[in-house]
Amino acid sequence: MKEISENEWDELKSMVIDIRDKVSVLVSEKQKEFLTPREVCRDLHICRSTYRRHVEAGRLRQVRIGEKGSRVYVRRSDIENLKKDGKI
């Protein structure tokens, strides 16, 4: 078995840490209950105007959070249900 140098070990360790961090971000995004309009558009592969049409048609329900309802979100579960039902 070939031994690796300290530099190679440090490089491998750095790669593993980087991969762990990226996986952690992906897992946390999948567990996130509320999504921003941008995240919804990315998830559904739609543009912002299509997103607005879905909201106006009542297919996507927005939740306002924050001071004076300044932040808009959509529940992930609502999106998953619409996908499952074939409505989006």
Side-chain angles (χ1 to χ4, degrees):
M1 181 182 280
K2 179 185 171 194
E3 290 190 27
I4 61 173
S5 70
E6 190 172 330
N7 286 343
E8 289 173 317
W9 174 252
D10 288 340
E11 186 176 327
L12 285 171
K13 192 166 117 179
S14 175
M15 289 170 59
V16 168
I17 290 170
D18 186 48
I19 291 169
R20 181 196 64 198
D21 292 344
K22 288 178 181 177
V23 168
S24 178
V25 166
L26 290 174
V27 167
S28 68
E29 282 183 10
K30 283 292 183 186
Q31 294 174 347
K32 195 173 167 186
E33 176 57 27
F34 291 98
L35 303 175
T36 65
R38 177 177 291 184
E39 291 168 328
V40 172
C41 290
R42 186 187 68 215
D43 187 42
L44 297 177
H45 305 288
I46 59 175
C47 64
R48 191 64 183 251
S49 60
T50 303
Y51 168 84
R52 281 193 295 274
R53 283 197 303 272
H54 285 307
V55 169
E56 290 168 4
R59 288 186 289 273
L60 288 175
R61 290 180 294 154
Q62 297 184 126
V63 177
R64 295 195 173 273
I65 300 175
E67 190 175 310
K68 300 179 185 177
S70 59
R71 298 188 187 253
V72 176
Y73 296 93
V74 176
R75 284 187 174 86
R76 178 181 293 281
S77 58
D78 290 347
I79 295 170
E80 297 302 324
N81 289 337
L82 290 172
K83 283 181 179 179
K84 185 176 71 175
D85 296 342
K87 295 182 180 177
I88 286 187

